[in-house]
Short mmCIF file of all heavy atoms in Angstrom, two decimals:
data_model
loop_
_atom_site.label_atom_id
_atom_site.label_comp_id
_atom_site.label_asym_id
_atom_site.label_seq_id
_atom_site.Cartn_x
_atom_site.Cartn_y
_atom_site.Cartn_z
N ASP R 1 0.82 -1.22 0.00
CA ASP R 1 0.00 0.00 0.00
C ASP R 1 0.85 1.27 0.00
O ASP R 1 0.46 2.29 0.58
CB ASP R 1 -0.96 0.02 1.20
CG ASP R 1 -2.06 -1.03 1.04
OD1 ASP R 1 -2.48 -1.27 -0.09
OD2 ASP R 1 -2.48 -1.60 2.07
N ILE R 2 2.00 1.20 -0.64
CA ILE R 2 2.85 2.38 -0.81
C ILE R 2 2.76 2.81 -2.27
O ILE R 2 3.17 2.07 -3.16
CB ILE R 2 4.30 2.09 -0.42
CG1 ILE R 2 4.38 1.73 1.06
CG2 ILE R 2 5.19 3.29 -0.73
CD1 ILE R 2 5.77 1.36 1.53
N PRO R 3 2.19 3.98 -2.54
CA PRO R 3 2.03 4.43 -3.93
C PRO R 3 3.37 4.77 -4.58
O PRO R 3 4.32 5.18 -3.90
CB PRO R 3 1.14 5.67 -3.80
CG PRO R 3 1.32 6.13 -2.40
CD PRO R 3 1.61 4.93 -1.58
N VAL R 4 3.40 4.62 -5.89
CA VAL R 4 4.63 4.85 -6.66
C VAL R 4 4.37 5.89 -7.74
O VAL R 4 3.50 5.71 -8.60
CB VAL R 4 5.13 3.55 -7.32
CG1 VAL R 4 6.37 3.83 -8.18
CG2 VAL R 4 5.43 2.50 -6.26
N GLU R 5 5.13 6.97 -7.68
CA GLU R 5 5.12 7.98 -8.74
C GLU R 5 6.20 7.63 -9.75
O GLU R 5 7.30 7.21 -9.37
CB GLU R 5 5.38 9.36 -8.16
CG GLU R 5 5.46 10.48 -9.19
CD GLU R 5 5.79 11.83 -8.56
OE1 GLU R 5 5.42 12.07 -7.39
OE2 GLU R 5 6.45 12.65 -9.24
N ALA R 6 5.89 7.78 -11.02
CA ALA R 6 6.87 7.54 -12.07
C ALA R 6 6.97 8.79 -12.94
O ALA R 6 6.18 9.73 -12.79
CB ALA R 6 6.46 6.34 -12.91
N GLU R 7 7.94 8.82 -13.83
CA GLU R 7 8.08 9.97 -14.72
C GLU R 7 8.28 9.49 -16.15
O GLU R 7 9.05 8.57 -16.41
CB GLU R 7 9.27 10.86 -14.31
CG GLU R 7 9.41 12.10 -15.17
CD GLU R 7 10.45 13.09 -14.65
OE1 GLU R 7 10.59 13.21 -13.42
OE2 GLU R 7 11.12 13.74 -15.49
N LEU R 8 7.57 10.15 -17.05
CA LEU R 8 7.68 9.85 -18.47
C LEU R 8 7.77 11.17 -19.21
O LEU R 8 6.94 12.07 -19.00
CB LEU R 8 6.46 9.06 -18.96
CG LEU R 8 6.48 8.61 -20.41
CD1 LEU R 8 7.63 7.63 -20.67
CD2 LEU R 8 5.16 7.97 -20.80
N GLY R 9 8.76 11.29 -20.07
CA GLY R 9 9.02 12.57 -20.71
C GLY R 9 10.21 13.21 -20.03
O GLY R 9 10.82 12.64 -19.13
N LYS R 10 10.54 14.42 -20.43
CA LYS R 10 11.73 15.08 -19.91
C LYS R 10 11.37 16.41 -19.26
O LYS R 10 10.92 17.34 -19.93
CB LYS R 10 12.75 15.33 -21.03
CG LYS R 10 13.15 14.09 -21.82
CD LYS R 10 13.95 13.12 -20.97
CE LYS R 10 14.41 11.92 -21.80
NZ LYS R 10 15.16 10.94 -21.00
N VAL R 11 11.56 16.47 -17.94
CA VAL R 11 11.47 17.76 -17.26
C VAL R 11 12.86 18.37 -17.34
O VAL R 11 13.83 17.78 -16.88
CB VAL R 11 11.03 17.59 -15.79
CG1 VAL R 11 10.98 18.95 -15.10
CG2 VAL R 11 9.67 16.93 -15.74
N GLY R 12 12.96 19.54 -17.96
CA GLY R 12 14.27 20.12 -18.27
C GLY R 12 15.04 20.55 -17.03
O GLY R 12 14.60 20.40 -15.90
N GLY R 13 16.22 21.12 -17.26
CA GLY R 13 17.04 21.61 -16.18
C GLY R 13 17.78 20.50 -15.47
O GLY R 13 17.96 19.40 -15.99
N LYS R 14 18.21 20.80 -14.25
CA LYS R 14 19.03 19.87 -13.47
C LYS R 14 18.38 19.65 -12.12
O LYS R 14 18.25 20.57 -11.32
CB LYS R 14 20.44 20.42 -13.29
CG LYS R 14 21.39 19.51 -12.54
CD LYS R 14 22.77 20.15 -12.49
CE LYS R 14 23.74 19.35 -11.64
NZ LYS R 14 23.97 18.00 -12.15
N GLU R 15 17.94 18.43 -11.87
CA GLU R 15 17.33 18.08 -10.59
C GLU R 15 18.38 17.52 -9.65
O GLU R 15 19.03 16.52 -9.95
CB GLU R 15 16.21 17.03 -10.80
CG GLU R 15 15.73 16.36 -9.53
CD GLU R 15 15.12 17.33 -8.54
OE1 GLU R 15 14.50 18.31 -8.98
OE2 GLU R 15 15.28 17.12 -7.33
N ASP R 16 18.59 18.22 -8.51
CA ASP R 16 19.47 17.72 -7.47
C ASP R 16 20.87 17.53 -8.05
O ASP R 16 21.43 18.43 -8.67
CB ASP R 16 18.88 16.41 -6.93
CG ASP R 16 19.35 16.08 -5.54
OD1 ASP R 16 19.47 17.02 -4.74
OD2 ASP R 16 19.57 14.90 -5.24
N ASP R 17 21.46 16.34 -7.88
CA ASP R 17 22.79 16.09 -8.43
C ASP R 17 22.73 15.17 -9.65
O ASP R 17 23.71 14.55 -10.03
CB ASP R 17 23.72 15.50 -7.37
CG ASP R 17 23.15 14.25 -6.70
OD1 ASP R 17 22.04 13.83 -7.09
OD2 ASP R 17 23.82 13.71 -5.80
N GLY R 18 21.55 15.09 -10.26
CA GLY R 18 21.39 14.27 -11.46
C GLY R 18 21.83 15.02 -12.70
O GLY R 18 22.23 16.18 -12.65
N PRO R 19 21.76 14.37 -13.86
CA PRO R 19 22.20 15.01 -15.11
C PRO R 19 21.21 16.06 -15.58
O PRO R 19 20.00 15.97 -15.34
CB PRO R 19 22.25 13.82 -16.09
CG PRO R 19 21.23 12.87 -15.56
CD PRO R 19 21.30 12.98 -14.07
N ALA R 20 21.72 17.10 -16.22
CA ALA R 20 20.86 18.12 -16.80
C ALA R 20 20.22 17.57 -18.07
O ALA R 20 20.81 16.75 -18.78
CB ALA R 20 21.67 19.37 -17.12
N VAL R 21 19.01 18.01 -18.33
CA VAL R 21 18.30 17.59 -19.53
C VAL R 21 18.30 18.73 -20.52
O VAL R 21 17.72 19.79 -20.26
CB VAL R 21 16.84 17.17 -19.21
CG1 VAL R 21 16.09 16.82 -20.48
CG2 VAL R 21 16.83 15.99 -18.25
N GLU R 22 18.98 18.56 -21.64
CA GLU R 22 19.06 19.61 -22.64
C GLU R 22 18.97 18.98 -24.03
O GLU R 22 19.39 17.86 -24.25
CB GLU R 22 20.38 20.39 -22.52
CG GLU R 22 20.54 21.13 -21.19
CD GLU R 22 21.89 21.81 -21.07
OE1 GLU R 22 22.75 21.55 -21.94
OE2 GLU R 22 22.09 22.58 -20.13
N GLY R 23 18.40 19.73 -24.94
CA GLY R 23 18.40 19.31 -26.33
C GLY R 23 17.48 18.16 -26.67
O GLY R 23 17.61 17.56 -27.73
N GLU R 24 16.55 17.81 -25.77
CA GLU R 24 15.61 16.74 -26.04
C GLU R 24 14.20 17.29 -26.00
O GLU R 24 13.93 18.31 -25.39
CB GLU R 24 15.75 15.63 -25.01
CG GLU R 24 17.13 14.98 -24.96
CD GLU R 24 17.19 13.86 -23.94
OE1 GLU R 24 16.40 12.90 -24.09
OE2 GLU R 24 17.99 13.94 -23.01
N SER R 25 13.28 16.59 -26.66
CA SER R 25 11.89 16.99 -26.59
C SER R 25 11.42 16.90 -25.15
O SER R 25 11.56 15.85 -24.51
CB SER R 25 11.01 16.09 -27.47
OG SER R 25 9.64 16.40 -27.26
N PRO R 26 10.86 17.97 -24.60
CA PRO R 26 10.49 17.96 -23.19
C PRO R 26 9.12 17.36 -22.92
O PRO R 26 8.72 17.27 -21.76
CB PRO R 26 10.49 19.46 -22.85
CG PRO R 26 10.06 20.13 -24.12
CD PRO R 26 10.68 19.30 -25.23
N TYR R 27 8.41 16.96 -23.97
CA TYR R 27 7.01 16.61 -23.79
C TYR R 27 6.77 15.11 -23.70
O TYR R 27 7.39 14.30 -24.39
CB TYR R 27 6.17 17.19 -24.94
CG TYR R 27 6.35 18.68 -25.09
CD1 TYR R 27 6.77 19.22 -26.30
CD2 TYR R 27 6.12 19.53 -24.01
CE1 TYR R 27 6.95 20.60 -26.42
CE2 TYR R 27 6.29 20.89 -24.13
CZ TYR R 27 6.71 21.43 -25.34
OH TYR R 27 6.90 22.78 -25.45
N THR R 28 5.84 14.75 -22.82
CA THR R 28 5.40 13.37 -22.69
C THR R 28 4.47 13.02 -23.84
O THR R 28 3.55 13.78 -24.15
CB THR R 28 4.67 13.16 -21.35
OG1 THR R 28 5.55 13.49 -20.29
CG2 THR R 28 4.17 11.74 -21.21
N ASP R 29 4.71 11.88 -24.47
CA ASP R 29 3.86 11.43 -25.55
C ASP R 29 2.59 10.80 -24.96
O ASP R 29 2.68 9.85 -24.17
CB ASP R 29 4.61 10.40 -26.40
CG ASP R 29 3.78 9.89 -27.56
OD1 ASP R 29 2.97 8.96 -27.35
OD2 ASP R 29 3.93 10.43 -28.67
N PRO R 30 1.41 11.29 -25.31
CA PRO R 30 0.16 10.76 -24.72
C PRO R 30 -0.04 9.28 -24.97
O PRO R 30 -0.52 8.56 -24.08
CB PRO R 30 -0.92 11.60 -25.41
CG PRO R 30 -0.24 12.88 -25.78
CD PRO R 30 1.15 12.46 -26.17
N ASP R 31 0.30 8.79 -26.16
CA ASP R 31 0.13 7.37 -26.45
C ASP R 31 1.06 6.52 -25.57
O ASP R 31 0.65 5.49 -25.03
CB ASP R 31 0.42 7.08 -27.92
CG ASP R 31 -0.63 7.67 -28.85
OD1 ASP R 31 -1.80 7.77 -28.41
OD2 ASP R 31 -0.30 8.04 -29.98
N GLN R 32 2.30 6.98 -25.43
CA GLN R 32 3.23 6.27 -24.57
C GLN R 32 2.77 6.31 -23.12
O GLN R 32 2.94 5.35 -22.38
CB GLN R 32 4.63 6.87 -24.70
CG GLN R 32 5.37 6.50 -25.97
CD GLN R 32 6.84 6.90 -25.91
OE1 GLN R 32 7.24 7.76 -25.12
NE2 GLN R 32 7.65 6.28 -26.74
N ALA R 33 2.19 7.44 -22.71
CA ALA R 33 1.72 7.58 -21.33
C ALA R 33 0.67 6.52 -21.01
O ALA R 33 0.70 5.90 -19.94
CB ALA R 33 1.15 8.98 -21.10
N GLN R 34 -0.25 6.30 -21.92
CA GLN R 34 -1.29 5.30 -21.70
C GLN R 34 -0.68 3.92 -21.56
O GLN R 34 -1.02 3.16 -20.63
CB GLN R 34 -2.29 5.32 -22.85
CG GLN R 34 -3.43 4.32 -22.69
CD GLN R 34 -4.45 4.42 -23.81
OE1 GLN R 34 -4.37 5.29 -24.67
NE2 GLN R 34 -5.42 3.52 -23.80
#
């Protein structure tokens, strides 16, 4: 009973100490999301 959030698509910039996201389409594809 622990919910899980996932991510699909690219949220730009640099989160925490992870890699920066640049030069990629930032949008989630609706078909892929389903």
